[in-house]
Amino acid sequence: MNNLSNSPKANGFRMPGEHEPHAGIWMAWPDRADNWRNGAKPAQEAFIKVAMAISKTTPVTMIVNESQYQNARHRLPSDIKVVEMSADDSWMRDIGPSYVTDGKERVGIDWEFNAWGGLVDGLYYPWNKDDEVAAKICEILGDRSCRAPLILEGGSIHTDGEGTLYTTEECLLHPSRNPDLTKEEIEHQLKEHLGLEKIIWLPSGLYNDETNGHVDNILHVVKPGEVVITWCNDEFDPQYEISRKAYDALCTETDAKGRNIVVHKLPMPGPLFITEEEANGIDASNGMERTPGERLAASYANFLITNNQIVYPLLDAKYDEEARHILSELFPGYEVTGVKAREILLGGGNIHCITQQIPKI
Ligand code: KQY
C-alpha cells in the first residue's frame, strides 16, 4: 500500500468521520515529568476518568511504558485493556493510526511523527518510540498499515467521512513539518491516503497552541456539512480574530459534496493561565516551556465523539454547562459526559488529543 500508484484512495478506501461507529478507543498512559506535573500522578487520574467515561459505550485499550505497567494495571478498571508498549508521551491522537476502510477491511495510515516540529520547534527529542506506535497498534489488531511519506499528527486533521478534510495552514504549512512539499503536494498526499475530494483550510488554530495550531483544538465536525468552532466574544483577546477568520473561511467554502457548511459556536473557556504552583510541579526541559502566567490553549472543541457519546473537557465552571447544553443540542440522543480536564490541558492538549478511534467495519 506504500506506493501511491496503488493508493488507499485508488483502492476504494476512505477515512470515516468520528461520528461513525467505533470498535474501540486507544489511549496512552502519561508518565513524562517534563510535561505532566507532580510525576504525572494528577494527569494519570484524569486519564483514568476519561477512559472510564469512554468505556461506557466503547472498549478502551491503554498502552503503557514498561516502568508504569503495574501502576496502570492496578489503577485502571479491569474492563480497560492495558498493553505494554513503549511511547515517548501520551498523545494517542497524534501517534496512533488514522484508519481508512473500504467497508471490508481496515487499514491504518501511519504518518511520520516528529514531536510537533522536529529539530525546528519540536517539543521533545527523541520521538522514535512515538513514531512506532501506529504500526504496532495495527499489528496487534491484525490490520495492515500504510506508512505515509508525510509528517503529520492526527490532531491536525478532521474528516467528515464523505470526502472533506478540515485542517489549518498554520500547522500543515509550518516549516517544521513538510518544508519540501507545496500546499498542493500536501493536499495530494492527504487525498490519496484518506480517500478525500476536498481540503478546507482554516488560517490558524487556537491561540498559543504548542502544536502549531492543530485543527482539533478549534473545530470539531458534528456531521457532514456541520462543524462547531471555539468562539471568542472579547475583541481584545487574541483568539477573537482567529475565530472570526476561521468562521469566514468556513462560511465562504462548500464541502466535497457541494454543501454550504453550517458553523456552530462553543464558548471559549477562561482565558485560562498556568499557575505558579502548577508550573513548579513540572520538570524543566528544552522543548516544553511552562512559565507561570502563560496562556493555556483551552477549548471545548477538543471533545471525543464515540458511539453515541460525547466526552468533553470540563475546563471553566463559568462555561462548562453552556458547553454541555450546546453539545447536547448538536448531538440529540447522545450521552454527553463531562470530565475534569485541567490536568490534561496543562500538558498541552485535551480529550480529543489523548484518544484515537478504531472504526468498526
Ligand atoms: O494533540 C495535541 N494537542 C498534542 C499536544 C502535545 C503537547 C505536548 N506537550
Side-chain angles (χ1 to χ4, degrees), residues 244-290:
R244 260 155 195 77
K245 285 186 175 152
Y247 186 83
D248 291 345
L250 292 161
C251 291
T252 51
E253 275 286 7
T254 51
D255 70 7
K257 299 275 185 222
R259 288 176 285 238
N260 291 320
I261 299 158
V262 179
V263 186
H264 303 279
K265 296 170 183 169
L266 277 165
M268 187 185 80
L272 303 178
F273 302 89
I274 187 167
T275 67
E276 187 157 4
E277 186 194 350
E278 288 167 341
N280 288 342
I282 301 167
D283 285 2
S285 73
N286 284 332
M288 297 177 283
E289 280 176 30
R290 298 289 186 263

Side-chain angles (χ1 to χ4, degrees), residues 34-36 89 91 93-94 116 123-124 153 155-156 209-211 214 216-217 288 290 302 346-350 352-354:
D34 63 349
N35 193 48
W36 305 105
D89 200 359
W91 303 98
R93 176 66 48 187
D94 295 340
W116 309 274
L123 300 179
Y124 46 73
E153 307 93 44
S156 69
D209 186 331
E210 67 186 358
T211 65
H214 272 190
D216 74 344
N217 214 13
M288 297 177 283
R290 298 289 186 263
N302 208 310
L346 290 171
N350 229 297
H352 196 256
C353 309
I354 63 167

Side-chain angles (χ1 to χ4, degrees), residues 93-267:
R93 176 66 48 187
D94 295 340
I95 61 176
S98 301
Y99 265 99
V100 293
T101 173
D102 64 355
K104 301 185 285 294
E105 185 193 358
R106 249 182 351 218
V107 172
I109 305 299
D110 170 15
W111 312 105
E112 289 181 29
F113 179 79
N114 76 349
W116 309 274
L119 300 181
V120 177
D121 68 345
L123 300 179
Y124 46 73
Y125 175 89
W127 53 78
N128 57 301
K129 292 182 194 140
D130 280 346
D131 194 28
E132 290 172 9
V133 164
K136 289 180 181 174
I137 290 176
C138 292
E139 184 162 354
I140 289 173
L141 291 174
D143 298 325
R144 282 196 290 165
S145 63
C146 169
R147 181 72 166 176
L150 193 67
I151 294 175
L152 186 128
E153 307 93 44
S156 69
I157 54 170
H158 260 308
T159 53
D160 70 352
E162 295 190 357
T164 311
L165 178 140
Y166 298 85
T167 189
T168 69
E169 292 180 343
E170 180 188 357
C171 186
L172 264 61
L173 305 187
H174 197 277
S176 67
R177 298 311 202 280
N178 298 284
D180 299 331
L181 298 184
T182 64
K183 187 176 184 179
E184 290 68 35
E185 287 167 337
I186 291 170
E187 285 209 357
H188 180 70
Q189 291 291 343
L190 290 169
K191 287 177 179 171
E192 291 304 313
H193 282 90
L194 301 178
L196 305 165
E197 304 301 330
K198 181 148 187 184
I199 317 288
I200 296 182
W201 296 86
L202 308 187
S204 325
L206 210 74
Y207 176 69
N208 210 32
D209 186 331
E210 67 186 358
T211 65
N212 307 113
H214 272 190
V215 75
D216 74 344
N217 214 13
I218 190 169
L219 173 146
H220 209 301
V221 176
V222 176
K223 59 184 180 198
E226 255 180 70
V227 301
V228 61
I229 63 168
T230 296
W231 197 244
C232 171
N233 284 318
D234 176 2
E235 61 185 291
F236 298 107
D237 191 293
Q239 187 57 40
Y240 182 88
E241 272 302 306
I242 296 172
S243 290
R244 260 155 195 77
K245 285 186 175 152
Y247 186 83
D248 291 345
L250 292 161
C251 291
T252 51
E253 275 286 7
T254 51
D255 70 7
K257 299 275 185 222
R259 288 176 285 238
N260 291 320
I261 299 158
V262 179
V263 186
H264 303 279
K265 296 170 183 169
L266 277 165

